[in-house]
Amino acid sequence: MNSRPGIGIVHLGLGAFFRAHGAVYVAEAMAASGGDWGILGVSLQSPTVRDALAPQGFAYWAVEQGPGGEVPRRIDVVQNVLVAPEDPAAVLAAMADAGVKIVSLTVTEKGYCHNPADGRINQQHPDIVHDMANPLPRSAPGFLVRALALRRAAGLAPFTVMTCDNLPENGHVLRGVVLDLARALDPGLANWIATEGRFPCTMVDRIVPATKPEDIQRLAAQGITDAAPVMHEPFRQWVVEDSFVGGLRPDLGAVGVQLVADVTAYEHMKLRMLNGTHSALAYLGYLAGHQTISDTVADPVFARFVKGLWADEIIPALVPPPGENLAAYAQALFERYANPAIRHRTWQIAMDGSQKLPQRILGTLAENIAAGRPSPGLMLAVAGWMRYVGGVDDAGAAIEVKDPLAQMLKTAADQGVAALLSLRQVFPETLAQALEPGVTAAHARLVALGARAAVEELA
């Protein structure tokens, strides 16, 4: 007899982060309080994760990497993985199943097919163009809308849509994107989703570096055979707006998830203090030749730089969440960055910068400009991104720039700072005008001195 719990969650984008974070919490919540909250994973692009997990029954090992060594733990909560391009109808059928109460997502910022500058759906995005014309979708918003339509037609309640991606007010952004697409297809469906649906905002935090072949080999030497383990730091945090259709969710509060009425202050704290400085260190550190975040902050020039960013430019623009001390949070972040066991590559963090910059750095810059506070470090970080997308580091080596706008960014970078600031997908017009003098000057220092010397001059 199969004693495995039923599937209650479909997760779009079953990458390393969710398997090292959300899936672990869900497994713990079921162990604590029961419930049918098994996870069906969906890959929206390639069969890689499915093909790795299927031979091992979809179980995998999550390996905590701390300064004192590694602690592996077997996670057995994923019950199957579907590959959307192979059979989109099967994915829709799974999402429309009455047993599914939550559809969660980690599809990265670019997976929302929206304009980061204004949060609206990008109707020119090729996947959205396809999904508006075809009942079998390609995009995450397309799958959500078509599956919700199936549930409405069957007389079922909608599932809760829970994003776990690093976007400010991520639930509100996703709700807007879904309603934009639903409205274009069927205004009645859009009204039903707006009235009956729930899109809780969340804040997720755990550093999860990409798994490398040597990680798999090291586990094998310990007797653990796993084609798809995930590596993660000891720290974890998950703050969730407690807004679910019918109140139906795993008992997340029993395992340390913070269930709150408003996630905004937590989101801003994490996006700006962690993700914002991660991006700043990634671009400037990569240009200076540093391979990982721990390597970067081991350089005293970059250590002074990031501490100055927190104290002088980021914390003054934040309202602390209840019970949080932002200076202590910054110190804890620095210790996490310096963890030598976590090899979080600057190149990995630098990916998709056009989608990340608005919420990680530009929001803080806009508030500092409005308040008359100088932001030379964040200006230098934006200039570092501009140098990075130009495709050549300080040593003259080519950079493999991974970004949905990569070609557009390269063309603009060849033309200079003003051309990059004119890209409305990234920079709102008013902010671009305010940034131009400071970013132009910072960019000139980067070109003249190189990244490390420019950071040293500032720090």
Side-chain angles (χ1 to χ4, degrees), residues 385-392 398-399 401 403-416 419-420 423:
W385 170 75
M386 291 178 167
R387 285 278 284 164
Y388 182 92
V389 299
V392 181
I399 301 170
V401 177
D403 193 287
L405 305 182
Q407 190 52 56
M408 186 187 301
L409 295 172
K410 176 70 172 72
T411 301
D414 290 344
Q415 296 169 24
L420 283 162
L423 296 176

Side-chain angles (χ1 to χ4, degrees), residues 68-352:
E70 293 188 334
V71 182
R73 176 180 173 195
R74 188 171 184 270
I75 306 298
D76 186 14
V77 68
V78 177
Q79 305 206 3
N80 195 5
V81 178
L82 300 179
V83 180
E86 293 178 0
D87 193 350
V91 175
L92 289 175
M95 295 168 72
D97 186 271
V100 170
K101 304 299 189 290
I102 296 171
V103 174
S104 51
L105 303 86
T106 44
V107 294
T108 76
E109 293 88 345
K110 65 185 176 186
Y112 292 79
C113 306
H114 73 310
N115 297 310
D118 65 10
R120 301 305 300 271
I121 198 165
N122 176 7
Q123 296 205 357
Q124 278 70 56
H125 191 290
D127 289 348
I128 298 301
V129 172
H130 172 276
D131 290 357
M132 289 179 68
N134 296 278
L136 296 178
R138 290 178 182 164
S139 71
F143 275 103
L144 291 169
V145 170
R146 296 291 185 178
L148 285 165
L150 291 175
R151 290 178 78 104
R152 179 174 176 240
L156 295 172
F159 42 72
T160 296
V161 183
M162 183 171 66
T163 164
C164 302
D165 282 303
N166 284 316
L167 294 164
E169 301 189 2
N170 54 10
H172 300 158
V173 170
L174 181 53
R175 182 179 187 271
V177 167
V178 165
L179 290 177
D180 281 348
L181 181 55
R183 212 172 281 120
L185 294 172
D186 177 355
L189 173 64
N191 291 338
W192 179 76
I193 295 170
T195 304
E196 304 295 328
R198 296 291 181 273
F199 294 78
C201 292
T202 67
M203 184 272 262
V204 295
D205 190 0
R206 171 166 265 180
I207 295 171
V208 180
T211 300
K212 299 178 284 297
E214 52 265 35
D215 297 322
I216 295 172
Q217 293 160 10
R218 194 170 59 254
L219 287 173
Q222 300 171 39
I224 296 173
T225 302
D226 188 347
V230 289
M231 309 292 132
H232 61 78
E233 66 171 335
F235 180 90
R236 67 176 186 176
Q237 187 177 17
W238 197 4
V239 185
V240 177
E241 178 188 356
D242 199 2
S243 176
F244 291 78
V245 175
L248 297 170
R249 57 165 172 75
D251 189 5
L252 298 172
V255 294
V257 177
Q258 293 163 268
L259 296 159
V260 301
D262 187 354
V263 176
T264 308
Y266 296 92
E267 281 178 344
H268 284 179
M269 176 183 79
K270 190 258 178 171
L271 276 166
R272 296 179 179 195
M273 291 186 68
L274 188 154
N275 299 113
T277 55
H278 246 179
S279 288
L281 292 169
Y283 296 117
L284 294 167
Y286 186 98
L287 291 170
H290 292 307
Q291 294 285 307
T292 69
I293 291 295
S294 58
D295 293 341
T296 307
V297 298
D299 181 335
V301 165
F302 281 93
R304 284 197 304 276
F305 171 70
V306 73
K307 289 175 180 178
L309 281 183
W310 283 318
D312 302 331
E313 302 185 29
I314 298 175
I315 288 176
L318 287 173
V319 176
E324 293 281 355
N325 179 316
L326 296 182
Y329 182 69
Q331 179 58 36
L333 285 177
F334 188 83
E335 291 168 7
R336 292 166 63 192
Y337 291 0
N339 177 358
I342 293 290
R343 306 290 294 166
H344 206 183
R345 294 174 63 201
T346 48
W347 180 82
Q348 180 190 355
I349 297 163
M351 291 168 61
D352 303 332

Side-chain angles (χ1 to χ4, degrees), residues 33-85:
S33 305
D36 287 321
W37 296 108
I39 296 170
L40 170 72
V42 175
S43 170
L44 292 172
Q45 296 179 340
S46 85
T48 304
V49 172
R50 190 267 319 273
D51 292 351
L53 290 177
Q56 52 201 56
F58 302 100
Y60 60 91
W61 290 79
V63 183
E64 177 182 299
Q65 296 182 309
E70 293 188 334
V71 182
R73 176 180 173 195
R74 188 171 184 270
I75 306 298
D76 186 14
V77 68
V78 177
Q79 305 206 3
N80 195 5
V81 178
L82 300 179
V83 180

